[in-house]
Structures are given as structure tokens and as C-alpha cells.
Amino acid sequence: MATFEMSRSTTINAPSDRVHSLLNDFREWQQWSPWEGLDPDLERNFTGPATGVGSHYAWVGNKQAGEGTMEITESTPTSVAIDPEFLKPFKASNITAFDLSEAGSGTTRVNWTMTGTRGPIMGLMGKLFFDKAIGKDFDKGLAQLKAAAEAR
């Protein structure tokens, strides 16, 4: 099994608590997640606490959106860690983390990282296709997160 790490960052002209609130509540992800718009009929199920550790989100959608679950496993004022489990269109378990740091008065630096392991075939596919696609998705999501946080 090969390990991988994908990371992207941006600076947002908003305080970290505002950015954190958009990451720490799965219901808020509809404003910024790059995958939320893939299926207008996406079925969403939220369980557990509304925010923070133990908050759980499950989705079922078309072939593009797929199916899976996410749970917030750690939440501090400077980070949110999520355990996503992708079921369709392919199975994958990864760790996703958002790290927040002050980048100036009222400005927040956000680093979005996904780590995991891949078997030999998925490792090759990752290097050829997935890493580039996930990187574009992270860039899009961070741009939308920036827009949502700065508009509040």
C-alpha cells in the first residue's frame, strides 16, 4: 500500500471563527463544497450533534456525486479533522484536515489536506488522474469557502 497526501491552501479575509463555523457544520458545506453541486437531487442525511465532534453526514447521489459518509473526529478553534468513507463510485477511506492560522488582522490561512493509502492499481490511477482532479476540487472548494466566509 502506498501513502498519499494532497494539500491546498488559501488566505481568507475573514476571522478564523467565521471560517471554522463553515467547516465545523456539514449543513454549511452546501455553500462551499466543490462536490455539493454535482447532483441537484443529492440525498443528504445529518445525524449526531449539529456541529463538531460526532457530527455525521451521509449522502447518496448520481454517478458523479457517488455515495459516502463523513464524521467530524476532531474540532478545535484552529482545526477540523474529518473521517470520510467513500462508497461509490469507488471505495476509499481517507483522513481530511482543515488547519487554520492567523495570516494578519482578521485574515485566516486555511490548509486543506487529505491523506490515505492506496493499493498498487489505485496508486497508479491516483498519480495519473485522481491527484490532479482532487487538487482542482480542493482549489474550487477553497475559492468557494473564501467567497462564503468573506460574504458573511
Side-chain angles (χ1 to χ4, degrees):
M1 295 284 219
T3 61
F4 76 94
E5 181 175 304
M6 172 65 59
S7 187
R8 294 289 193 274
S9 298
T10 194
T11 301
I12 298 175
N13 294 318
S16 63
D17 61 335
R18 186 181 309 164
V19 177
H20 186 271
S21 69
L22 291 167
L23 301 171
N24 200 45
D25 182 347
F26 286 129
R27 289 166 187 84
E28 297 287 352
W29 284 44
Q30 293 177 53
Q31 293 184 59
W32 65 267
S33 171
W35 302 294
E36 283 289 330
L38 296 177
D39 181 356
D41 298 319
L42 189 70
E43 295 177 32
R44 298 172 182 88
N45 185 29
F46 303 98
T47 56
T51 64
V53 174
S55 182
H56 189 265
Y57 171 45
W59 73 92
V60 176
N62 61 21
K63 289 181 181 180
Q64 286 185 308
E67 180 179 352
T69 65
M70 292 192 283
E71 181 177 353
I72 297 176
T73 57
E74 179 184 326
S75 179
T76 71
T78 59
S79 69
V80 176
I82 297 166
D83 185 5
E85 184 79 25
F86 302 100
L87 304 173
K88 293 180 183 176
F90 55 87
K91 291 186 178 197
S93 295
N94 302 306
I95 301 298
T96 301
F98 296 92
D99 294 304
L100 310 175
S101 58
E102 186 175 331
S105 180
T107 304
T108 305
R109 182 87 179 152
V110 180
N111 189 53
W112 184 359
T113 304
M114 180 183 286
T115 58
T117 59
R118 296 177 176 152
I121 293 173
M122 288 302 282
L124 178 61
M125 294 294 287
K127 289 179 181 177
L128 295 175
F129 304 106
F130 295 139
D131 292 350
K132 186 175 182 180
I134 292 169
K136 285 182 181 180
D137 286 346
F138 278 23
D139 290 339
K140 179 181 177 184
L142 287 170
Q144 292 174 169
L145 178 65
K146 178 180 175 71
E150 290 177 356
R152 283 190 168 191

